[in-house]
Amino acid sequence: MDFSSFLTSLGTSFVIFIVLMLVFAWLSGKPGNSVIYYPNRILKGLDPYEGGSRTRNPFAWIHEAMSSTEQDVISASGYDTAVYFVFLSTVLGILVLSGLVLLPVLLPVAATDEGVKIASTTSNGTFSDLDKLAMGNVKEESSRLWAFLLATYWVSFVTYFLLWKAYKHVSGLRADALMSPEVRAEQFAILVRDIPPVPEDTLREKQQDAALVFFSSRVAAASAAQSLHAQMVDKWTVTDAPEFRQMIWTNLKISFFQRQVRQYVIYIVVALTIVFFMIPIGFISALTTLENLKKYLPFLKPIVDMDAIKTVLEAYLPQLALIIFLALLPKFLHSLSKAEGIPSEGHIVRAASGKYFYFIVLNVFIGVTVGGTLFSTFKTIQDKPKSIPDLLAAGLPGNATFFVGYGLELSRLIPLIIFHLKRKYLCKTEAEVKVAWFPGDLRYGTRFPGDMLIVTIVLCYSAIAPIIIPFGVVYFGLGWLILRNQALKVYVPSYESYGRMWPHMHTRILAALILYQLTMFGYFGVKRFIYVPLLLPAIILSLIFGYVCSKKFYRFFRDTALEVACHDLKEIPNMERVFRSYIQPSLSSDKIEDDQFEDALSQVSRSTSFV
């Protein structure tokens, strides 16, 4: 796709987005559809149309989203969702502040250089004015390259500043959550794994390899979770207890040694998937050509020979295997992460998100967008500056179809259709109807890696071709606006980790910045800019910045600080209720019949804990 085609696709997608937004305004006002467009409010017992949602103004939702506060998001969808919006706001801030300098400075510097006159044509014809706006238009060894070097440092310092500010802010959000006077069962419990066997005496059943230990004090639980309980690392492994909603009970019994082996095996599987994923995709694609379909499935021949169907199949069939694979990839990586023996759903989501990030960045960005060896690609850009807009068009999300994606997200046409079909033909009870419209969560664990691909692309090309920055701003600005509406009205969080995803978000934004700095270092080398070693301090500074942030902030996201845990509660915790919160409802009863639990409960005043 050339750049003019990209702009055409962008304009078409924007028109479709406007149509979908009008469809949303029309459908969301109908009472029968309220469970699709306002399920979060309905489940909280609120009026779906509170705040003027039911209005003839199709843009009213924009005002509601923009006027909402962070506390509104926390009340509606929890701290994890609020932290995801911190990520969106931080990236948006980086791009806006970078663009405020790069666009007015670098575009004139590139456009007024005489490099385009030296090599004014390619096999495709003369350059357009747009080609003059890129770094490729600047001559080798030109003093104008100083502007691009300084721009690289500007983007770096903007990123450092906003990441530091965001880390402090999210740390404050997490502290506020953990200091809450509300009694949360997980704050009074720790998870103990790798319990060594004893020679005798369990009383009632065979000893288990893991246990939940409950304390009557948040401080005592936090202290126990952070203490070293055994001389050897593979015995008495103790961590904070996850929420009940997050517990993966079947993973608790997996031993320390098995977890380590599984982890390394899965890392190898993921690495092989990243490196060789095109081989099975290419093989499947070859088997699914029209010729092979007619050869191996002859009964399909009358259908595939129809002109209309043949045209569609020829356009999409070769890509079908890739599309299906990429659609199944998140579930595949989630399953691999679960197989590592991780005990909580939140941790599994973070692990799967990391694997997904590496996959799409290494394959989609480096393998597709950049392509080939780094320096040969830079040389191609140097010899043919016209190729830069084409690379940008190829690298932007779905060839500018993100407008359509966001339009479908807002209008929720697919969930709406599925719900009405299920209600009419499948649902027999009110409980089944509720299951049919239940929205699920924001799924930021899979959204975030896709967002990071865009961050990486826009950052890496921000100085080479600053014209890409506005596209990144539109992507994240629109995403913030639409997902804000969805977080307030639609999605329901499936668990709460109080922002533990943020260190991973921070690290990957910083990784994208370092990749940007390395990209600029290579491109300056191709431009024969003798002062290119001056970029080395920026790369070193990024590594130092990441190390300092990790040492200063990360520990609090792993362990609960005692100064946070010691804050007073508004009521004395009911330890029976704390214990019962970890029992499956189907196994619970109104009356406690477990003698061991009664015995342990009676010892709370003496030992402050029980198993």
Side-chain angles (χ1 to χ4, degrees):
M1 174 183 286
D2 58 24
F3 198 70
S4 60
S5 299
F6 167 74
L7 291 178
T8 302
S9 175
L10 187 72
T12 305
S13 299
F14 180 73
V15 172
I16 296 174
F17 169 75
I18 295 298
V19 172
L20 290 173
M21 186 170 65
L22 296 175
V23 169
F24 160 75
W26 174 55
L27 292 176
S28 61
K30 296 185 175 300
N33 296 335
S34 60
V35 292
I36 298 298
Y37 295 103
Y38 306 98
N40 183 297
R41 291 183 175 180
I42 291 174
L43 290 171
K44 288 181 168 61
L46 302 175
D47 179 5
Y49 304 103
E50 182 183 359
S53 298
R54 194 172 186 176
T55 175
R56 295 180 181 274
N57 183 357
F59 305 103
W61 65 273
I62 297 178
H63 177 265
E64 293 177 42
M66 295 188 68
S67 62
S68 64
T69 64
E70 187 172 64
Q71 190 56 49
D72 293 333
V73 175
I74 292 172
S75 300
S77 292
Y79 285 89
D80 288 333
T81 303
V83 168
Y84 176 67
F85 282 102
V86 173
F87 159 74
L88 293 179
S89 301
T90 301
V91 171
L92 189 59
I94 291 171
L95 297 182
V96 169
L97 291 180
S98 298
L100 288 177
V101 172
L102 269 59
L103 289 170
V105 172
L106 297 188
L107 294 184
V109 169
T112 57
D113 196 83
E114 297 180 353
V116 72
K117 295 180 179 179
I118 297 174
S120 60
T121 62
T122 66
S123 59
N124 294 327
T126 59
F127 292 132
S128 66
D129 291 335
L130 184 62
D131 304 320
K132 300 178 183 180
L133 303 179
M135 187 177 171
N137 191 49
V138 179
K139 293 184 295 187
E140 294 180 358
E141 303 178 357
S142 172
S143 60
R144 293 173 180 246
L145 293 172
W146 276 104
F148 294 88
L149 180 67
L150 294 176
T152 305
Y153 270 96
W154 169 253
V155 174
S156 301
F157 283 118
V158 164
T159 305
Y160 301 148
F161 171 74
L162 291 180
L163 282 181
W164 182 272
K165 184 179 178 181
Y167 222 142
K168 288 184 65 176
H169 179 63
V170 175
S171 182
L173 286 179
R174 179 170 171 81
D176 290 341
L178 298 180
M179 288 189 299
S180 170
E182 299 291 334
V183 175
R184 296 190 175 106
E186 66 273 11
Q187 290 185 289
F188 296 87
I190 63 173
L191 174 62
V192 183
R193 306 174 78 183
D194 309 307
I195 299 176
V198 293
E200 302 176 7
D201 68 320
T202 55
L203 295 178
R204 297 186 60 176
E205 58 185 5
K206 183 180 178 182
Q207 177 184 331
Q208 301 297 309
D209 297 327
L212 286 167
V213 180
F214 297 86
F215 296 80
S216 59
S217 164
R218 294 196 296 192
V219 175
S223 300
Q226 301 171 39
S227 302
L228 184 64
H229 293 269
Q231 179 181 354
M232 298 298 175
V233 70
D234 60 342
K235 303 297 182 185
W236 295 104
T237 305
V238 179
T239 59
D240 292 327
E243 280 185 319
F244 169 77
R245 295 180 294 177
Q246 295 191 56
M247 292 290 290
I248 309 297
W249 298 97
T250 55
N251 280 356
L252 299 187
K253 62 183 180 181
I254 301 175
S255 68
F256 178 87
F257 176 74
Q258 289 183 9
R259 297 199 300 270
Q260 296 300 308
V261 172
R262 287 176 179 226
Q263 187 178 56
Y264 288 117
V265 169
I266 287 170
Y267 285 170
I268 294 172
V269 171
V270 173
L272 292 176
T273 303
I274 292 173
V275 174
F276 297 109
F277 91 104
M278 282 307 299
I279 295 177
I281 296 302
F283 178 73
I284 296 173
S285 297
L287 290 178
T288 55
T289 60
L290 286 180
E291 292 75 15
N292 285 328
L293 282 179
K294 289 187 286 187
K295 179 180 178 180
Y296 297 114
L297 301 172
F299 62 90
L300 293 178
K301 186 175 180 180
I303 300 176
V304 299
D305 282 340
M306 298 173 63
D307 291 339
I309 296 178
K310 184 177 181 180
T311 301
V312 173
L313 290 178
E314 286 177 342
Y316 294 102
L317 195 58
Q319 306 173 29
L320 186 60
L322 179 61
I323 293 171
I324 293 175
F325 178 79
L326 291 177
L328 297 177
L329 183 62
K331 292 185 180 295
F332 172 66
L333 297 178
H334 185 278
S335 299
L336 287 180
S337 298
K338 185 176 181 179
E340 291 182 36
I342 297 173
S344 70
E345 181 65 26
H347 191 175
I348 288 174
V349 168
R350 295 193 294 274
S353 176
K355 296 177 178 67
Y356 194 29
F357 167 76
Y358 295 127
F359 181 90
I360 62 173
V361 168
L362 291 175
N363 273 301
V364 180
F365 174 70
I366 295 178
V368 178
T369 306
V370 175
T373 63
L374 198 60
F375 282 93
S376 65
T377 302
F378 288 146
K379 192 63 180 174
T380 301
I381 295 175
Q382 167 68 10
D383 295 338
K384 298 180 180 180
K386 187 176 176 61
S387 64
I388 293 178
D390 295 340
L391 285 173
L392 304 186
L396 284 170
N399 292 329
T401 57
F402 63 86
F403 274 122
V404 177
Y406 281 139
L408 289 173
E409 172 68 56
L410 179 66
S411 65
R412 289 181 58 80
L413 283 179
I414 295 176
L416 179 70
I417 294 171
I418 292 175
F419 164 67
H420 283 296
L421 289 176
K422 284 184 175 180
R423 185 176 66 173
K424 184 173 182 179
Y425 297 108
L426 298 178
C427 297
K428 306 298 183 183
T429 65
E430 287 299 320
E432 291 177 342
V433 172
K434 182 176 179 180
V435 171
W437 61 255
F438 190 80
D441 59 22
L442 190 61
R443 295 182 293 276
Y444 64 87
T446 53
R447 291 181 188 273
F448 167 69
D451 293 338
M452 276 308 308
L453 174 63
I454 310 306
V455 175
T456 306
I457 292 172
V458 176
L459 275 183
C460 286
Y461 285 116
S462 60
I464 296 176
I467 198 67
I468 195 177
I469 296 177
F471 294 108
V473 170
V474 171
Y475 175 84
F476 285 103
L478 192 61
W480 184 96
L481 184 65
I482 290 176
L483 294 178
R484 192 84 162 189
N485 178 80
Q486 307 301 78
L488 293 170
K489 302 173 184 175
V490 178
Y491 293 118
V492 178
S494 57
Y495 64 86
E496 180 65 80
S497 68
Y498 309 111
R500 292 194 68 174
M501 186 72 168
W502 174 255
H504 303 267
M505 294 176 171
H506 171 274
T507 301
R508 279 150 201 158
I509 296 174
L510 192 59
L513 177 68
I514 294 174
L515 185 57
Y516 161 62
Q517 293 166 339
L518 291 172
T519 301
M520 294 306 298
F521 187 87
Y523 199 20
F524 277 121
V526 171
K527 283 290 188 180
R528 300 180 184 177
F529 188 55
I530 61 174
Y531 299 104
V532 64
L534 293 177
L535 265 183
L536 289 176
I539 300 172
I540 296 172
L541 189 60
S542 294
L543 296 173
I544 294 174
F545 175 79
Y547 176 79
V548 171
C549 287
S550 176
K551 290 298 181 182
K552 182 175 178 65
F553 296 111
Y554 177 71
R555 179 72 185 274
F556 177 51
F557 286 82
R558 189 186 67 189
D559 302 316
T560 301
L562 298 185
E563 70 169 350
V564 169
C566 71
H567 276 69
D568 294 333
L569 297 167
K570 68 179 183 181
E571 61 178 332
I572 298 175
N574 184 321
M575 297 310 299
E576 178 185 339
R577 188 180 304 162
V578 169
F579 173 81
R580 284 186 169 277
S581 67
Y582 280 88
I583 299 177
Q584 290 279 3
S586 60
L587 301 178
S588 182
S589 62
D590 294 333
K591 182 180 178 181
I592 300 174
E593 298 178 352
D594 192 324
D595 295 335
Q596 280 188 306
F597 173 61
E598 290 179 337
D599 292 340
L601 186 60
S602 67
Q603 303 300 319
V604 170
S605 59
R606 293 190 282 115
S607 64
T608 74
S609 68
F610 58 93
V611 182

